[in-house]
Amino acid sequence: MKAGIVGLPNVGKSTLFNCLSNAKAQSANFPFCTIEPNIGVVNVPDTRLEKLEELVKPERVLPATVEIVDIAGLVKGASKGEGLGNKFLANIRETDAILHVLRCFDNDNVVHVDGSIDPVRDKETIDMELQLKDLETVEKKLDKVKRAARTGNKEAQKEEAVLVRIKEGLEAGISVRALDFKEEDYIAYIKPTQFITDKPVMYVCNVDEGSAVSGNVYVEQVKEAVKDENAKVLVLAVGTEADINELEDYEERQLFLEDVGLKESGSSKLIRLAYKLLNQQTYFTAGEKEVRAWTIDIGVTAPQSAGVIHTDFEKGFIRAEVISYNDYVYFGSESKVKEAGKMRVEGKNYIVKDGDVMHFLFNL
């Protein structure tokens, strides 16, 4: 899973990236501080993995991960190449989800590229540039599809109708993700094109420390503006998170969070919310050599889940031995789960559940 951090220059993107990845990207009080995208791999926080480690005592533990890409600030005209826009937009296209950082705090010492604080205006600026880039994409594709449609090609005619709807929506300022299509049309004609505005989005409202718990008027404006979108909104005091991140001691970090009124770090909340945004979940494999978390889409089958480990596992899938996480913890070990008759044998049609602990049997 790869998520790209976007936003106008100087809204806290690189600071957020540092909080998430500890990669220490350059962060400064001027536009275009980031030019080449910084990439960090972030562990997905999961207390279940810690509990399995405690019970199994494996040689190593491997959490699920998310790749975070810090993409340089976009400006008006990015779709036409302003501010190295084409390069930045290409970086966004390669991601699975968008983390859109909006400045929701007042501070005269931190300059804003447009001279005033208005997160809804900032959101619309970025939206417009992404929509214009998608409009360019759909127009190019329409030219090709129309030629095939004129010859009587039924498939091309169906695709043309879908692309025309997308074009009209984008011209009206509506992102692709907000348009409603039949699932078969989406899979056939929209998903393969990878429209930027079709990607799921999380709006990260960057607030001051005093607004970290309950937000502020800017956050409420954002929530109102995106209420009809299929999007997530997260309130995060990015500067405060950065200060907490500088502390080496875990207990000191927890005390700092408590002082601010928070129960957990913003990075943990963000990664979990990103999982939900992408409709993903976790299953585990647990043995003496390794306890590991694996990322899968919600609703996939046992063979598809096995394929995440290795494609051969999916091709030669025979069956899966499955223990629910709660049963594993309750009985305390795999052997005791078996004794209690709580290990299940599941076949090719089994839909994997979040937290399943699994062994796969396969034959090549």
Side-chain angles (χ1 to χ4, degrees):
M1 181 171 78
K2 182 187 285 188
I5 302 176
V6 304
L8 290 174
N10 233 19
V11 296
K13 298 183 306 302
S14 292
T15 306
L16 174 61
F17 175 81
N18 288 336
C19 290
L20 292 171
S21 68
N22 288 325
K24 305 302 177 192
Q26 186 184 7
S27 175
N29 185 18
F30 57 89
F32 301 116
C33 178
T34 305
I35 296 176
E36 290 299 323
N38 296 295
I39 298 175
V41 178
V42 185
N43 292 340
V44 176
D46 196 327
T47 55
R48 297 173 300 180
L49 195 65
E50 296 166 16
K51 186 64 180 177
L52 288 172
E53 178 185 12
E54 180 188 315
L55 294 172
V56 179
K57 298 179 174 57
E59 292 176 15
R60 63 175 184 169
V61 177
L62 293 172
T65 59
V66 177
E67 197 170 281
I68 302 293
V69 185
D70 177 23
I71 296 165
L74 292 167
V75 294
K76 287 177 183 175
S79 59
K80 301 300 180 187
E82 293 292 329
L84 304 179
N86 285 325
K87 181 176 176 57
F88 301 161
L89 289 163
N91 293 331
I92 297 170
R93 196 180 297 281
E94 294 170 4
T95 64
D96 301 306
I98 294 172
L99 307 178
H100 187 162
V101 182
L102 296 168
R103 178 171 169 177
C104 294
F105 66 89
D106 294 303
N107 186 337
D108 293 338
N109 295 319
V110 181
V111 296
H112 189 289
V113 70
D114 285 333
S116 62
I117 310 304
D118 186 341
V120 175
R121 175 202 61 205
D122 295 352
K123 169 198 170 309
E124 290 171 350
T125 297
I126 298 293
D127 282 351
M128 184 186 298
E129 296 307 320
L130 301 184
Q131 288 163 1
L132 286 170
K133 197 64 182 176
D134 274 353
L135 190 58
E136 183 183 303
T137 300
V138 78
E139 285 173 343
K140 284 180 182 175
K141 192 154 191 181
L142 257 175
D143 286 341
K144 294 178 183 177
V145 172
K146 279 180 177 178
R147 286 195 292 270
R150 288 193 205 103
T151 67
N153 185 312
K154 299 293 184 186
E155 194 67 21
Q157 289 171 353
K158 285 175 66 178
E159 184 171 8
E160 181 184 12
V162 170
L163 294 176
V164 166
R165 273 196 64 201
I166 290 173
K167 182 176 182 289
E168 290 172 350
L170 291 168
E171 287 173 338
I174 302 170
S175 294
V176 177
R177 78 177 73 86
L179 298 170
D180 189 30
F181 291 96
K182 293 178 182 177
E183 187 177 359
E184 59 266 29
D185 288 343
Y186 177 81
I187 292 169
Y189 311 124
I190 301 172
K191 191 175 182 180
T193 309
Q194 292 186 302
F195 289 108
I196 297 173
T197 64
D198 184 40
K199 297 181 186 296
V201 63
M202 181 195 308
Y203 294 102
V204 181
C205 295
N206 183 11
V207 300
D208 58 277
E209 185 176 310
S211 305
V213 176
S214 54
N216 56 29
V217 64
Y218 294 131
V219 173
E220 294 309 310
Q221 290 169 1
V222 171
K223 287 180 177 178
E224 178 63 24
V226 306
K227 66 182 180 182
D228 295 326
E229 290 186 36
N230 184 21
K232 306 287 185 186
V233 177
L234 178 68
V235 178
L236 208 61
V238 175
T240 303
E241 294 282 340
D243 291 340
I244 293 171
N245 241 31
E246 293 297 322
L247 300 173
E248 299 291 338
D249 185 73
Y250 173 79
E251 289 186 5
E252 285 185 13
R253 288 187 180 195
Q254 291 304 115
L255 286 171
F256 198 143
L257 284 167
E258 288 172 15
D259 286 345
V260 180
L262 300 171
K263 294 179 180 178
E264 63 176 338
S265 70
S267 58
S268 294
K269 286 192 287 188
L270 187 147
I271 296 301
R272 277 207 306 278
L273 201 57
Y275 244 50
K276 288 183 180 179
L277 187 69
L278 284 167
N279 201 37
Q280 293 187 319
Q281 62 182 6
T282 302
Y283 79 86
F284 303 100
T285 51
E288 291 180 3
K289 286 191 175 294
E290 177 183 281
V291 167
R292 183 164 181 167
W294 301 89
T295 300
I296 55 171
D297 291 335
I298 293 172
V300 303
T301 62
Q304 290 170 321
S305 299
V308 173
I309 300 175
H310 199 289
T311 52
D312 286 347
F313 285 23
E314 182 173 1
K315 290 174 187 174
F317 179 90
I318 299 172
R319 63 181 182 274
E321 296 176 345
V322 184
I323 304 170
S324 74
Y325 169 78
N326 289 336
D327 283 342
Y328 206 115
V329 172
Y330 180 80
F331 291 103
S333 71
E334 185 178 311
S335 59
K336 288 180 180 176
V337 170
K338 286 180 179 177
E339 288 172 15
K342 292 293 185 179
M343 177 183 278
R344 309 189 311 276
V345 176
E346 301 287 359
K348 291 183 177 181
N349 295 323
Y350 176 66
I351 303 299
V352 177
K353 296 179 177 61
D354 186 52
D356 278 349
V357 182
M358 306 184 75
H359 290 306
F360 297 106
L361 284 80
F362 68 101
N363 183 27
L364 293 181

